[in-house]
Every structure is written in C-alpha cells, then in structure tokens.
Amino acid sequence: MHLKRRQFLATTAAATAGLAAPVTLRAQAREYVIGASLPLTGPFATAGQMVAPALRMFEALVNEDGGIGGVPIRITAEDSGYIPANALANYQRALATEPDMVMYFGDSTGFMKLVAPELRGANARLMGSTSFASELADPAGNPYQYLPGPSYEDQFDILLQQVKDEGGSTVAFIFSNTEFGRDPIAHGRAKAEELGLQVVLEESTREQGADIPTHVTRLAQSGAEYCILQGYVTGVWPQLIGGARQFGLPTRFMGTFWGMENAIADRVTAEAGPILDGYAGVMPYRYFYDPERGPAYERFAAFQKTAFVGTPLENYLPTWGIQALFSLTIGVEALRRVADKGLELTADNAAEALSDLRDWDTGGFFGVPVSMVNNKIGTGRVYRYSAETQLFGPSSDWFTV
Amino acid sequence: MGQLLQFTINGLMAGAIYALIAVGIVSVFKATRVVNFAHGYLIMFGAYFYFTFAVLVPQAAWAPDWLASWQPGWMMDMREGLPMFSPLAAVLDWLANVPRILLGLAGALLCNAALGLVIERTLMRPLMGQSVFAMIMLTVGLISILSGSAQLIWTSDAEFVPSLAPNTPIRFALFGQTIFLFGADLANMVIALLIFAGIVLMVRYTKSGIAIRATAEDQSTAYSMGISVPKVFSRAWVLASTTGAVAGAILATRNGISPALGLFGFSVLAIVLMGGLDSYLGVFLAAMIVGVLEALTQWQLGGEWAGIVPYVAVLVVILIRPHGLFGAKEIERI
C-alpha cells in the first residue's frame, strides 16, 4: 500500500486524537461522581432513608467549598435492600455508567468483602462504608477500603481499658452468633489477658429472638462485673440489660458503635423504664447534640434547619448519619490532596493520600486530631447513657489505640 | 441439679411460645391440608397490630392521657420511695400500662382475625378444588406481600412494646440452688398453655372442632354430611390468625418488634414437622423438646450449638418417623 504524505498526516492525527481522548475526557471532567449503595428498603431502611438526604447535604456543602480541585461533585445513591449482592451490582453499574466516579460508599461489611476482589486496576475506587469490621482494615489486602473510625477490635480495646481504669477485674462478652458479633471476641480475650482482666463468660446468642432468660441466667452465674455486648443493632441488647436489671444484677453493660444510637436508647427508656441508665459504649464521634461540637456539625445543623424542615433530620443527625458523613468527608479530603498535587484521581493515588493523613483536624467529628493508620482511625471515646437526661454523655477522654 | 432445673424451666417457657406459634400451622393444615409457610408473617402482623393499639394509638393527640399511662392517686402514693427495680415497682409499672395492653390485645386479635379472613376469602378460597400444592405456593408468595406491606405501613424501625404481665423477678431455692424466673415469661407461658389447651379442647369437644376434624379426614364426606367446608376453612384461618396475634404480642414483648419477627415461623415449621403436621399433642411435645434442648445446649455447649443441636434432633425424628412423633400415617395407593 502506498501512503501519500497528506494521508499519512491525517491518519497519524486521527490516531493520536483517538489515543488521547480518554485522558482529555478525564482532564475535562465537569463533575466527579461519588457512588453509594444505601439500604433504602429492607431491615435498615429507616437508617438508609435518613442517610440519603444527608448525602445530598454533603454534596451541596462540598460543592460550596469548590468541590474537589475546583470540580463539583455529584452523589448518586442506589438501593441495596441491605443485600451485599445488590450493592455489588450497584457498584458494577456505577462503574459502567459513571466514567468520572472517583469514590464509592458501601452499606455493609458483607458488601465490602464481596467487592474487595473486584477492586483491581481500572475497577478500583476509593471505598468507605458503614462497617467497622476489623478484617477490612488491611492495607495490604484491601488498599482502597478504609474504616471511618476504630475497628470493633479497637473499640473492645477502648472498653477494656475503661474497665481497667475503673478498677474492674471480671468481664463477660455477650455477642450475636454472626460475623459482626464474633469479630472482636478472640482479640478481646487476648487484650483482657494483657490488661489482667478475667473473661468469665463468652456467650453467643441469636441475632434476633434470643432466649433472654437463659442468657441472663448464664451472666448471673458468671458473676461478671462488666459485660460487653457486640453484634446487635436494635434488638436483644436492650432486653438483655432489662432482664439483668430485673434479676438484680449489678453488672455494668457496655457496647460498641451500633449499640450507641440515642434515639434507640430513648425508645427503650420510653417503653421499659430507666433500664439503660449507666449503659456505656464506644462512640468514635461526638454526638450531634454535643455542646462542644465543632464547625462541621454547626454547618450541618444550619443546613438541616432550612433544608429538612419537618423531617427527623431538622434538628438531629443520628450516629449512623454522622458515620456516613465522616466516611465521605475523609474520602473527599484524600481526593482533594491528590487534586492539589495535580495528580489524577485514581484509586491508588487516593489510597496513598488517605494513608498519609496524620493529625488531621476533622472539624469536630472527633475531639482530637486523628490519623489514618492501617486504613482505620483508632480513636474513640466512651459515652454513658443517662435515663434522666435521656442523652449519652462523655465518660472518658478520647482514646487512640 | 438446680442448674439443670433452671435451664429446663427456661426451655419450657420458650417451648410454650413455640407451641402457641405451631398451633396455628397445625389448625390450618388439619382443616385445609395446606402448610402455611406465611404463618410467621401472620404472627408478625399480630405483633404490629399490638404495637399499633398499645403504643401508637395511646400516643395520639386525641387519646385520653389515662390510656397511655394510668396513674390513679393511690398508685402515685405507693410509688413514693420505691427502689427503681423492686418487684412492687415492676407491678405498678405494669398496672399503669394495663389499659393500653388490653387495647393492644383486643386490637391485635380483631385486626389479625380480619386479616386471616381476608386471606382465606380472597386468596385461598378461589383455589378450593385445585391442587393443594398451588395453595401452599400461594402462602409462599404471601410471605413477600406481608413482609413488604409491614415495612410500608410501620417502616423497618425496631420498636418496643409493653409486657403482657408484670416482669417481677421470682426466686426460690431448689436442690440448694436459687432458681430465678421472670414474671412476664412465666405469665407468657401460662397464657400460651391456656390457649393451646383451649384449642385442643375446642377441636375435641365442640361442634366446630368436630367439623374441623371431619374435614381433615375427608372433605367430600364432610360436605355430604352437611358440613360447610368453606366455613371450616375460614374458621381455621381465623383461629390461626388470632392465636398468631397473641403469639406475636408475646414475641414482641420478649424481643422487640421488627419485620425480622416473621422469620420465627420457619424455625417453628421444623418443630411442627417433628411433632406431626396434624397432631396437636405431637407438636406440643416437639415444641417443649426443642425449647428444652435449646436451653440445655446453650448452657452446656454455648450459643454456636444452640441453633444446631435441637434441629439435628428434629431431623433424626423425621428420619425415623417421617410423619412426625404423632402425625397420621398417610398411605398412598397407586
């Protein structure tokens, strides 16, 4: 074949334009997309439906601040029904339809584990979630996934340290017979031994519909001074505490993040009386009503007052909403750092920027500056519930483990 | 020995509730030959109706204050200086809730009976004369409808309801060991056993009961003897729904309320198979055996095994006696 000079130039120009097109498109992104799966239906629909407007608020506030490197963001959320396979399908669809997606928010440990092997090469995105599962904090295996706070193992460390500081010597672990429930138990056992605490009972229960009298009897027989509950959200733990109070047990109960929502504690108090008085647990963030809340919460509060009038979000942000907002905040912070360096917003660059976060001022989510170590932030605080004020109040300083 | 007794009693209390749930499945099967896979979700609706009338209605702006919390002067006087978790305080707490508990139970019974009737008249009856398999599949489809409807009406929020009886602690010594029982659980057991006994007596000695038994034997013969088989179907569904309402209210007081309550029906289905689908006595025994096995396994082996060991026992029984402990043997001649 004989190629004329003009034909050669035209072909070369076309080929160059074709090859450069993706780079040009990426450079010219008019908006960055953050994808999300939320449980808008299913067992956690209430939580998902409250988080969905919070994500819209987050989008508006980030864009007010100039987006990421001057490019506005758009958040697209789809329903998972709290089924990991649905969330995975949502992620794959978002990958296929949103070429400028730079980050994803997952709604369960199950999804995060299911999607982890998919996060390779062009399919990888920076990924936060609602999960504090210890095994997700694994920079070698899951470099793009991070925890927006302390893992359940860290939370057990914080609680056991608190037991030690209060002069306790015996502790019981009661947990649901699920991955969520079992997550920190072996680690907790080792940590208790290290602290000189005796684990006198490890009791596994059903996640729903547990046989409360049997578990309370076992707790009473163990003689534990403290009992840490793990692996429950709304059910079982209030009934266990109520049963123990009726039994007359002096055991002091503690829990981790998902047992710390103020609205749930208030509902329990309204129906069962002051059984939760003195119940304590780890809450990584300040509660929304904290008088010492920082500028981030103040901004949310101002936005909520005008944008969510007449809804439960008008004056309150539940713990799971705070968690979702912080998860996205820290992800966007990493992406902004990448953009500021003039680098492309790839998952690798974002993960590297995230792991470099040290002594970062979160704007009031945490009471102290935090660091991302091993893809998690091992900081939290013990709060205690008062049936009189119907609020969780701080009962320790901020711990970093 | 004392501990064995403690965990056995705990198991019997759980078993009585299983029996109350199972009685609805057996009643529908006896009358219609249909295994109602959606029974757990009927129970869930009963629980939500109880929640509606015992919690939501008393909280309404138009409801009188005494409905939400009945606080006569004498009760206020008695409360003075009482320790927070004393037995008397628990009784007074319960007394203050009695009006709404009664309203909750009445509302749950009536609404669940109506629901059972609607299901029977609109979904099951048109299938009369068709294959039983079609009706069973329909109950499977009903699971999604009831589960989705509950989430639409009441959301997926976990809620809490008042106990049917005062949750006073009961302590007594036996074999040198202090036995401890929760008052509310004991009352729940008594309620469950009374209802169970009432239904068994009704089926054995009343006209309606005889009609159910006759229909269970042979629908065509029952028809020819002047028994209105469609009415028997309706009664069976209403019976299952009303016992389900009480079971739902009891489960809600023990575990709180959420759409996950419907899943209880499946574990009880195994108990029904163990006892024999058409035997009240068999199902009662199976429920008690599973309840006690669960508690004893929890005591000796821990929770990981408590969900397995009793159901291995169910499997073994079904392998040895495929028709269950006391179920009628069916011989099919081809």
Side-chain angles (χ1 to χ4, degrees):
Chain A
M1 200 175 99
H2 212 74
L3 209 60
K4 287 182 184 171
R5 183 174 165 272
R6 184 165 295 178
Q7 280 174 320
F8 171 77
L9 285 174
T11 311
T12 310
T16 310
L19 284 171
V23 177
T24 313
L25 282 176
R26 187 165 291 280
Q28 289 176 342
R30 283 190 299 176
E31 61 181 10
Y32 292 125
V33 174
I34 296 176
S37 270
L38 295 177
L40 299 173
T41 57
F44 295 111
T46 308
Q49 287 164 12
M50 281 182 96
V51 169
L55 297 194
R56 287 207 308 277
M57 169 171 76
F58 182 77
E59 177 188 279
L61 296 179
V62 168
N63 287 337
E64 256 181 42
D65 293 341
I68 298 171
V71 177
I73 64 160
R74 173 166 59 83
I75 296 185
T76 169
E78 285 194 86
D79 179 29
S80 71
Y82 199 63
I83 297 168
N86 291 356
L88 179 63
N90 290 344
Y91 178 65
Q92 288 166 335
R93 195 162 40 249
L95 274 179
T97 58
E98 302 286 2
D100 294 316
M101 185 169 75
V102 290
M103 183 181 162
Y104 201 79
F105 179 75
D107 63 354
S108 67
T109 305
F111 162 68
M112 293 295 269
K113 288 171 74 173
L114 196 61
V115 77
E118 307 256 333
L119 302 181
R120 299 285 180 266
N123 287 340
R125 296 291 183 277
L126 188 65
M127 192 170 283
S129 77
T130 55
S131 176
F132 288 126
S134 307
E135 68 173 288
L136 295 182
D138 171 19
N142 297 319
Y144 312 115
Q145 297 185 340
Y146 61 91
L147 306 191
S151 67
Y152 295 123
E153 289 181 354
D154 295 337
Q155 295 183 41
F156 258 53
D157 286 354
I158 292 169
L159 290 174
L160 289 167
Q161 187 61 55
Q162 176 82 355
V163 170
K164 178 81 180 166
D165 291 349
E166 288 180 6
S169 60
T170 56
V171 62
F173 299 156
I174 298 187
F175 52 97
S176 67
N177 191 14
T178 59
E179 210 177 341
F180 174 26
R182 288 188 296 268
D183 182 306
I185 300 304
H187 175 85
R189 197 185 303 131
K191 182 70 183 178
E193 196 182 332
E194 184 190 316
L195 291 172
L197 301 171
Q198 194 188 351
V199 180
V200 289
L201 175 71
E202 288 184 22
E203 179 84 342
S204 140
T205 77
R206 285 186 191 172
E207 188 187 11
Q208 299 273 347
D211 184 2
I212 302 299
T214 293
H215 299 308
V216 173
T217 309
R218 298 254 300 158
L219 180 62
Q221 287 169 347
S222 76
E225 296 165 309
Y226 288 81
C227 174
I228 302 181
L229 303 164
Q230 165 70 17
Y232 310 104
V233 179
T234 51
V236 179
W237 68 270
Q239 287 83 13
L240 270 169
I241 296 175
R245 292 290 165 257
Q246 292 299 341
F247 208 116
L249 295 186
T251 313
R252 301 177 77 166
F253 285 91
M254 296 177 142
T256 53
F257 175 78
W258 288 100
M260 295 298 289
E261 172 48 44
N262 210 81
I264 301 281
D266 288 350
R267 260 183 242 165
V268 172
T269 304
E271 272 313 324
I275 59 168
L276 296 187
D277 195 53
Y279 167 74
V282 174
M283 166 68 175
Y285 321 106
R286 288 187 190 280
Y287 279 91
F288 199 58
Y289 50 74
D290 192 325
E292 293 174 34
R293 68 185 183 187
Y297 284 20
E298 291 298 345
R299 228 174 141 202
F300 295 149
F303 187 97
Q304 288 171 238
K305 272 244 177 298
T306 53
F308 303 138
V309 178
T311 74
L313 283 175
E314 183 180 350
N315 295 308
Y316 183 63
L317 195 55
T319 47
W320 49 74
I322 293 172
Q323 185 208 34
L325 287 171
F326 181 70
S327 188
L328 291 171
T329 299
I330 197 162
V332 164
E333 174 65 21
L335 290 165
R336 279 176 171 157
R337 290 182 181 208
V338 174
D340 289 348
K341 286 183 187 166
L343 298 173
E344 203 179 331
L345 301 190
T346 61
D348 284 311
N349 288 339
E352 197 183 326
L354 195 68
S355 63
D356 286 344
L357 273 178
R358 290 288 180 278
D359 297 324
W360 180 54
D361 180 357
T362 58
F365 280 96
F366 291 81
V368 291
V370 297
S371 300
M372 180 65 78
V373 179
N374 289 331
N375 286 15
K376 62 178 180 171
I377 295 170
T379 301
R381 189 188 210 182
V382 178
Y383 281 80
R384 201 175 291 282
Y385 185 73
S386 159
E388 194 185 339
T389 60
Q390 299 212 347
L391 293 173
F392 278 98
S395 78
S396 81
D397 210 343
W398 292 91
F399 284 92
T400 296
V401 291
Chain B
M1 184 65 187
Q3 285 208 27
L4 176 70
L5 203 68
Q6 169 78 68
F7 285 99
T8 304
I9 294 171
N10 288 351
L12 289 175
M13 291 196 293
I17 294 165
Y18 290 152
L20 183 60
I21 297 170
V23 80
I25 300 175
V26 175
S27 298
V28 168
F29 181 80
K30 267 181 106 71
T32 67
R33 316 306 286 176
V34 171
V35 181
N36 180 14
F37 281 92
H39 188 65
Y41 291 83
L42 266 183
I43 287 169
M44 177 195 69
F45 256 78
Y48 272 116
F49 284 133
Y50 178 66
F51 164 67
T52 302
F53 289 97
V55 177
L56 296 182
V57 169
Q59 281 174 0
W62 47 265
D65 289 344
W66 58 264
L67 190 57
S69 183
W70 182 52
Q71 299 281 2
W74 59 267
M75 199 189 287
M76 303 291 276
D77 294 341
M78 286 181 81
R79 270 186 192 283
E80 282 292 315
L82 272 181
M84 198 179 282
F85 295 110
S86 68
L88 183 57
V91 173
L92 293 178
D93 284 345
W94 173 75
L95 272 177
N97 286 331
V98 162
R100 63 189 184 123
I101 292 170
L102 293 176
L103 180 70
L105 277 176
L109 285 169
L110 285 173
C111 291
N112 235 32
L115 176 67
L117 209 55
V118 166
I119 290 171
E120 195 278 324
R121 292 299 288 267
T122 58
L123 299 175
M124 307 309 290
R125 195 172 292 188
L127 289 180
M128 266 179 80
Q130 306 290 321
S131 144
V132 168
F133 185 70
M135 295 165 98
I136 293 173
M137 284 299 102
L138 201 144
T139 67
V140 174
L142 203 54
I143 291 173
S144 300
I145 296 171
L146 292 177
S147 167
S149 307
Q151 290 186 40
L152 275 178
I153 300 168
W154 291 284
T155 78
S156 305
D157 272 1
E159 301 287 356
F160 302 91
V161 294
S163 287
L164 299 185
N167 206 15
T168 46
I170 298 166
R171 285 187 176 84
F172 56 93
L174 210 64
F175 301 110
Q177 169 95 18
T178 302
I179 304 290
F180 177 92
L181 303 173
F182 290 105
D185 284 320
L186 204 60
N188 289 342
M189 182 172 81
V190 171
I191 292 169
L193 292 181
L194 284 177
I195 292 174
F196 195 96
I199 288 170
V200 171
L201 291 175
M202 188 274 283
V203 169
R204 181 147 295 185
Y205 296 112
T206 67
K207 262 186 164 179
S208 300
I210 292 166
I212 287 177
R213 282 192 289 146
T215 309
E217 282 293 320
D218 189 322
Q219 286 182 15
S220 308
T221 312
Y223 250 130
S224 64
M225 299 298 288
I227 292 171
S228 170
V229 174
K231 265 192 187 167
V232 171
F233 278 29
S234 294
R235 278 184 204 143
W237 273 90
V238 169
L239 192 66
S241 305
T242 46
T243 53
V246 180
I250 289 175
L251 283 178
T253 61
R254 280 169 64 100
N255 306 309
I257 187 171
S258 76
L261 216 56
L263 297 171
F264 252 86
F266 295 116
S267 50
V268 174
L269 212 53
I271 293 170
V272 173
L273 292 174
M274 180 186 183
L277 267 166
D278 57 354
S279 167
Y280 286 116
L281 176 64
V283 160
F284 179 77
L285 279 179
M288 291 304 178
I289 290 169
V290 168
V292 171
L293 271 178
E294 273 185 352
L296 294 183
T297 312
Q298 181 80 42
W299 171 39
Q300 287 297 323
L301 303 174
E304 289 83 0
W305 293 95
I308 300 169
V309 171
Y311 296 98
V312 171
V314 169
L315 268 180
V316 170
V317 168
I318 292 171
L319 279 173
I320 298 168
R321 292 177 68 89
H323 48 280
L325 288 172
F326 290 93
K329 261 187 194 171
E330 281 200 16
I331 302 165
E332 247 180 72
R333 291 190 175 81
I334 301 168

